[in-house]
Amino acid sequence: MNRVELSNANARVLGTILRRQAESIPDATYLMAGERRFSFARVNELANSYAAGFRSLRVQSGDTVALFMVGSPELVFTTFGVNKLGAIWVPTNTDYRKEWLREALRDSRARVLVVDAPLLPRVAELGPNLPFEYVVINGKTDLDIEGARMLDLAEFAELKADEPSV
C-alpha cells in the first residue's frame, strides 16, 4: 500500500499530495473512466497544464472558479489545476435550472465558469448579466454567453507547464 506522510500541515494540500504521488509512483493508475486510464504522473502533468490555462485567465490564489460539470477526467484535471493555483473551485449542482442555477452561479462570485457543452444551453437561457468574463467549455458547441469570452477546455491540456508556485 502506498502511504503519504501528512504530519506537516503544509503537505496536506491536494496539489502537493498529487505531485508527491506522481514523483513516487508515476506509472501507477490514478484515474479510470471507461477505457481511459491516467497515471499519477499524467494527472499531475494535466493538472499543471490546466493551472497554466487558468493562470492565463488571471486566476490566482483566493479567486473562485465556478464549475458546472458532471463527473469526468476533465473535472478532475480542472479541480486540481484550480487548487494548484491556490484558487477555490465552486461546484454547481448539474440538476439546477433557471433561477436556482442563476443564483448558484452568482453566489460563486467567480469570473470564470467551466461548463460541459451539453449543460451550456441551461446557462445560455439565463440571458445577459452573468458575472463571467470567461466561459471555458468542455466539449463542442456553437452557443455563446453574452459578455463572456468563450474558450475550449481541451486547449488547456495542450499547454506545457511546470509545477505552479503559488
Side-chain angles (χ1 to χ4, degrees), residues 111 130 132-135 144-150:
R111 292 181 307 99
L130 291 173
F132 307 112
E133 291 177 39
Y134 300 96
V135 174
D144 283 326
I145 302 300
E146 187 178 327
R149 182 167 170 220
M150 309 298 282

Side-chain angles (χ1 to χ4, degrees), residues 47-135:
N48 292 341
S49 295
Y50 278 49
F54 289 113
R55 180 169 277 149
S56 75
L57 305 181
R58 300 182 327 275
V59 172
Q60 55 191 348
S61 183
D63 287 348
T64 56
V65 175
L67 307 182
F68 193 42
M69 304 174 75
V70 298
S72 67
E74 291 73 22
L75 173 65
V76 173
F77 311 145
T78 296
T79 59
F80 273 121
V82 169
N83 277 132
K84 282 179 175 255
L85 295 177
I88 303 149
W89 52 276
V90 180
T92 304
N93 187 324
T94 56
D95 288 333
Y96 284 178
R97 297 175 188 278
K98 304 198 188 267
E99 201 56 35
W100 281 45
L101 178 58
R102 178 189 313 281
E103 291 306 313
L105 294 175
R106 280 192 180 148
D107 288 348
S108 74
R109 295 192 170 119
R111 292 181 307 99
V112 177
L113 169 66
V114 185
V115 59
D116 288 327
L119 297 173
L120 189 61
R122 281 198 254 157
V123 176
E125 75 182 10
L126 299 177
N129 302 321
L130 291 173
F132 307 112
E133 291 177 39
Y134 300 96
V135 174

Side-chain angles (χ1 to χ4, degrees), residues 36 42 46 49-50 53-54 69 74 77-78 114-117 135-140 150-160:
R36 298 166 70 192
R42 183 64 178 145
L46 286 164
S49 295
Y50 278 49
F54 289 113
M69 304 174 75
E74 291 73 22
F77 311 145
T78 296
V114 185
V115 59
D116 288 327
V135 174
V136 185
I137 305 164
N138 180 32
K140 300 293 180 202
M150 309 298 282
L151 302 167
D152 184 351
L153 185 64
E155 292 178 10
F156 286 13
E158 302 301 319
L159 301 173
K160 300 298 178 211

